[in-house]
Amino acid sequence: MNARLIATDVLIVGGGLAGERCAIEAAAAGHEALILSLVPPRRSHSCAAQGGMQASLANCAKAEGDNPTVHFLDTVRGSDWGADQEVANIFADEAPIAVRELAHIGVPWSRVRGGNNHYFIKGEEVEIDEALENDGLIGQRDFGGTAKWRACYAAAGTGHAALYAVDSEVVRLGITVRDRTEAVSLIHDGSRCLGAVVRCLRTGEHFAVLAKATVIATGGYGRIYGQYTSNAVINEGTGASIALDTGIVPLGNMEAVQFHPTTLMPSGILVTEGCRGDGGYLLDKNLNRFMVELEPAKQELASRDVVSRHMAQVMRDGDGVDTPYGPHLWLDIRHIGEAHLRTKLLEVWDICRDFLGISPAEELIPVRPTQHYSMGGIRVNKDGEAYGLAGLFAVGEAACWDMHGFNRLGGNSLAETLVAGRIVGRCVAKHVAGVSLRADTGVALDAIGAAERRARDWLTRSGNGRGVYEIRDALGEIMMGKVGIFRTGDELNEAVAEIGQLLDDCDNAVLRCKDPGVNPELGFALRLKGMLRLAMTVAMGAHARTESRGAHFRSDFPLRNDEEWLNRTLVHWALEESAPSFSYEPTGLIDLPPGHRGYGSDQRIEMKQSVDNYNETVLDEQTRHGRLQSSEDMGSRLQRGAWQAYVH
Ligand SMILES: Cc1cc2nc3c(=O)[nH]c(=O)nc-3n(C[C@H](O)[C@H](O)[C@H](O)COP(=O)(O)OP(=O)(O)OC[C@H]3O[C@@H](n4cnc5c(N)ncnc54)[C@H](O)[C@@H]3O)c2cc1C
């Protein structure tokens, strides 16, 4: 084979938790797997996850009575009924397996201490006796939007512990990892995905990896919000954008963007929801605990969309603390005490000390909401198969598997990466066992040629166009200002026009550094158009969705509208087309009928048709589009009505 073509069974684009867990499953089934990553896998964004991973282990007193059905209920309510309920159900069933698996491979979970324990609940100190027989079991803490304490944690470094353990398994299995290597386009023949064109970030050279299955596990696209995100600088959404570029594979629910309530002001570094789970609270500039009045039932532990909105409103009303960088609120965890902070919230302690120069045991933490999580992504079915191209899969934050709908619950993402990694990895292994690698090498060489021309074009441009980082910063301001926590039709229209202008600017932008090899500016320039196109799908999708659901809040359409919008947005946009096209599919089979979430607004436009009618439409649509294919029969995992025992 040509030296510029490499062949493997499974190509996994992304070395975070989702990609690595998926690779382990494929390799364990005897297939050759190759992982690509922008950075050494242990520096993937998964490493930054702090507070916990949800799984209904029911090991401590406040988790008593928890089980996968209660976890399913919380997840669907958290999603504001935007989630695929079958997927949420599969997920809740398998999350406990994922947590125990991690314990088995070395994650040092924080443990239950039998006997008398001091906790803070809703800001009050309480004493609870943990059963002595539970001493030493995996412990759990409270998180937002859940009925039980369910977040398993390794202090506040859960992602770090999980990723190091999973990566050690990758090493043990001898899976090949090529870091500092970026997938820049997908190779396909219109119906099958054949692999990807990749670019070495050290030399700038391009080559192709041909594979029987290609898995995109590239994480979220938070960086389209510029500085207003808790995401790492590598979270630029390239996996989603190369799928979008095909014009064949749709992205799902791109307008569903999560804002996390507590990121440090002004750096945007996150402090975990575990701070509020362990008893911390939010204060305005007058040190008033506003969440008690605004959300009496869940207070600071309503879902993230609800808390972020209240915080944004409090600041709009002038009760934020003014600074040259804009207003912020306070997070108070002083009362929790240094001993707790330096053990169970150790990473928060360190972050406050290193990035703010304060001790959180003595001082208030300045926080404000910023972009945090991408619920949208490459639309896949239950098995992780992307729509449109056989042999293409997606998993983790890059995918819209769709257990989060319009709002992800804290702790459900780490769990998703591992649960979905295992499930999708099994399906990939099954797929690979049934196909042989037959690819037209001419298609691959053409794709390499196109990628090389793109890089050359950037390096040879001259003139006085804008710089790529200037365009990036302008995009962040537009996204946070006009496609943020509160959205209106007028502002979204403006955002669409302004992003359109940035796309034109991008076509004329020039580089300062013309080196073809190690050149971060060139690497970024090659991603910039994709980021702008993703941003456009978010803004246009948000403009089209004339309702409010979860994190998508339209001030001009403030009600959730289950009559017209109980559906998922799909967007296609081939690279050569001037504008994206939108369509919609039903959310999926409904088991828990739409209702009040138990926090946030109870006002909504109700669905008029019956759940049975809706479900018939779902099955019709799925059959029509051939999207039923799955290793499980449709709905086999959904034990209809099991939730009824838990809803009074
Ligand atoms: C600060 C912070 C704290 C969080 N805390 C929690 C928490 O406590 N609990 C929870 O459940 N969730 C948490 N989350 C969310 C969770 O961490 C992420 O959603 C999850 O880890 C994503 O994992 P992933 O494997 O999908 O992607 P990532 O971990 O982001 O990995 C993506 C991988 O793709 C690679 N990559 C990207 N593009 C390319 C390309 N084009 N070519 C090759 N490789 C590429 C990257 O190098 C990386 O290896 C947190 C998120 C943040 C930002």
Side-chain angles (χ1 to χ4, degrees):
M1 197 173 255
N2 185 310
R4 305 178 80 200
L5 305 179
I6 293 177
T8 185
D9 291 333
V10 184
L11 169 64
I12 290 137
V13 186
L17 277 171
E20 291 214 322
R21 184 63 192 85
C22 185
I24 288 171
E25 209 60 27
H31 304 298
E32 188 187 34
L34 168 63
I35 297 175
L36 306 181
S37 177
L38 300 176
V39 291
R42 289 178 191 213
R43 292 191 201 156
S44 299
H45 192 62
S46 294
C47 193
Q50 297 176 8
M53 167 167 166
Q54 301 279 354
S56 56
L57 300 186
N59 285 345
C60 63
K62 296 297 286 181
E64 225 172 85
D66 200 13
N67 61 40
T69 303
V70 183
H71 190 181
F72 159 81
L73 288 176
D74 286 344
T75 302
V76 174
R77 288 181 177 132
S79 79
D80 221 356
W81 273 267
D84 181 322
Q85 297 196 13
E86 273 190 285
V87 172
N89 191 69
I90 293 168
F91 159 76
D93 264 357
E94 303 229 347
I97 301 172
V99 166
R100 294 195 172 104
E101 215 175 49
L102 287 184
H104 180 69
I105 59 171
V107 169
W109 291 116
S110 298
R111 302 276 164 171
V112 177
R113 204 169 52 83
N116 189 256
N117 281 262
H118 288 256
Y119 297 117
F120 282 88
I121 300 178
K122 295 187 175 166
E124 303 289 330
E125 188 166 13
V126 292
E127 287 187 23
I128 294 180
D129 276 334
E130 294 293 354
L132 291 177
E133 66 265 28
N134 288 347
D135 187 69
L137 295 181
I138 294 170
Q140 287 162 302
R141 60 162 43 124
D142 206 0
F143 250 50
T146 64
K148 305 283 178 185
W149 290 18
R150 189 181 297 129
C152 308
Y153 59 103
T158 314
H160 184 126
L163 188 59
Y164 273 56
V166 170
D167 190 54
S168 296
E169 281 300 288
V170 165
V171 172
R172 189 179 67 78
L173 288 167
I175 298 170
T176 306
V177 177
R178 292 182 82 129
D179 62 31
R180 297 180 179 91
T181 308
E182 176 174 358
V184 295
S185 64
L186 291 174
I187 305 169
H188 65 90
D189 63 7
S191 62
R192 283 181 314 146
C193 181
L194 308 170
V197 175
V198 306
R199 180 171 179 270
C200 172
L201 297 175
R202 291 184 181 95
T203 62
E205 278 168 19
H206 289 85
F207 56 99
V209 182
L210 298 174
K212 295 177 190 171
T214 303
V215 183
I216 296 182
T218 48
Y221 43 87
R223 281 283 151 181
I224 65 172
Y225 281 79
Q227 61 168 313
Y228 304 102
T229 178
S230 64
N231 283 196
V233 289
I234 56 171
N235 285 17
E236 288 164 337
T238 46
S241 71
I242 62 177
L244 185 68
D245 288 351
T246 63
I248 300 169
V249 177
L251 307 182
N253 279 350
M254 290 298 283
E255 66 273 30
V257 176
Q258 177 166 85
F259 299 85
H260 192 292
T262 57
T263 64
L264 296 189
M265 176 78 178
S267 65
I269 296 171
L270 184 106
V271 284
T272 173
E273 187 160 308
C275 293
R276 284 171 287 134
D278 288 6
Y281 37 73
L282 296 165
L283 302 172
D284 65 15
K285 70 175 183 191
N286 304 312
L287 305 189
N288 171 37
R289 233 186 111 191
F290 54 91
M291 286 305 294
V292 176
E293 292 152 42
L294 298 173
E295 283 295 324
K298 293 294 280 183
Q299 302 181 358
E300 279 83 357
L301 289 176
S303 59
R304 289 174 179 176
D305 58 318
V306 171
V307 179
S308 292
R309 252 187 321 272
H310 284 314
M311 290 174 75
Q313 190 59 49
V314 165
M315 290 190 284
R316 278 186 168 192
D317 293 344
D319 286 327
V321 181
D322 286 324
T323 78
Y325 308 102
H328 70 76
L329 296 163
W330 298 113
L331 172 66
D332 190 356
I333 55 173
R334 294 172 300 180
H335 52 289
I336 299 177
E338 185 169 334
H340 184 110
L341 297 180
R342 295 190 79 158
T343 51
K344 294 186 177 174
L345 290 168
L346 175 62
E347 287 72 8
V348 173
W349 175 274
D350 286 343
I351 286 170
C352 288
R353 193 194 53 194
D354 296 344
F355 294 96
L356 288 175
I358 64 164
S359 159
E362 284 160 19
E363 288 174 69
L364 298 173
I365 307 172
V367 291
R368 67 174 169 185
T370 58
Q371 192 285 345
H372 178 62
Y373 186 80
S374 316
M375 272 83 69
I378 300 166
R379 176 65 187 137
V380 296
N381 71 3
K382 282 188 294 181
D383 293 347
E385 293 173 308
Y387 292 2
L389 283 181
L392 180 66
F393 296 77
V395 68
E397 195 174 337
C400 179
W401 191 35
D402 208 7
M403 52 164 284
H404 305 300
F406 277 74
N407 175 66
R408 166 175 81 82
L409 289 186
N412 263 357
S413 173
L414 282 184
E416 179 193 9
T417 60
L418 294 151
V419 168
R422 193 163 81 108
I423 293 175
V424 175
R426 272 197 309 244
C427 296
V428 165
K430 205 165 144 192
H431 171 85
V432 165
V435 296
S436 53
L437 181 59
R438 270 187 288 118
D440 178 350
T441 52
V443 174
L445 292 171
D446 285 352
I448 296 175
E452 286 174 336
R453 276 194 300 282
R454 259 192 334 126
R456 242 190 338 267
D457 171 55
W458 272 106
L459 291 171
T460 51
R461 274 189 210 174
S462 56
N464 52 4
R466 293 178 86 176
V468 289
Y469 297 123
E470 195 193 325
I471 296 176
R472 172 199 65 187
D473 293 346
L475 176 64
E477 296 300 324
I478 296 167
M479 293 305 283
M480 196 60 202
K482 295 179 176 168
V483 199
I485 295 173
F486 295 112
R487 301 166 172 183
T488 66
D490 288 346
E491 285 185 337
L492 289 166
N493 255 332
E494 286 170 21
V496 168
E498 289 167 19
I499 298 166
Q501 179 59 51
L502 292 184
L503 273 163
D504 290 344
D505 293 350
C506 180
D507 286 339
N508 298 309
V510 285
L511 298 181
R512 294 209 178 102
C513 174
K514 308 284 186 185
D515 196 307
V518 182
N519 180 350
E521 191 189 20
L522 172 62
F524 180 72
L526 289 168
R527 289 174 214 129
L528 181 59
K529 187 161 187 176
M531 290 172 73
L532 291 164
R533 281 161 50 85
L534 292 184
M536 185 67 104
T537 65
V538 176
M540 288 180 76
H543 186 264
R545 186 170 283 271
T546 48
E547 65 151 1
S548 291
R549 186 178 297 273
H552 168 68
F553 189 85
R554 287 284 300 258
S555 307
D556 43 356
F557 295 95
L559 299 189
R560 191 178 92 203
N561 183 343
D562 293 327
E563 174 60 10
E564 290 173 87
W565 286 102
L566 198 56
N567 59 22
R568 179 177 305 108
T569 308
L570 298 178
V571 56
H572 289 86
W573 194 3
L575 202 48
E576 54 283 359
E577 285 167 0
S578 59
S581 61
F582 288 85
S583 58
Y584 297 88
E585 65 175 5
T587 303
L589 290 182
I590 293 178
D591 189 20
L592 181 70
H596 177 41
R597 304 165 85 187
Y599 42 80
S601 167
D602 187 17
Q603 303 215 309
R604 61 188 176 279
I605 298 168
E606 297 199 0
M607 179 171 90
K608 293 203 183 65
Q609 63 176 318
S610 69
V611 166
D612 285 345
N613 276 347
Y614 185 88
N615 285 345
E616 269 174 38
T617 319
V618 174
L619 289 172
D620 279 355
E621 279 255 335
Q622 289 178 337
T623 313
R624 206 149 42 86
H625 293 288
R627 288 175 185 155
L628 283 171
Q629 70 280 51
S630 165
S631 54
E632 307 271 349
D633 285 341
M634 198 69 196
S636 61
R637 304 288 289 273
L638 200 58
Q639 291 157 23
R640 296 281 166 80
W643 53 271
Q644 279 166 356
Y646 301 94
V647 176
H648 307 289

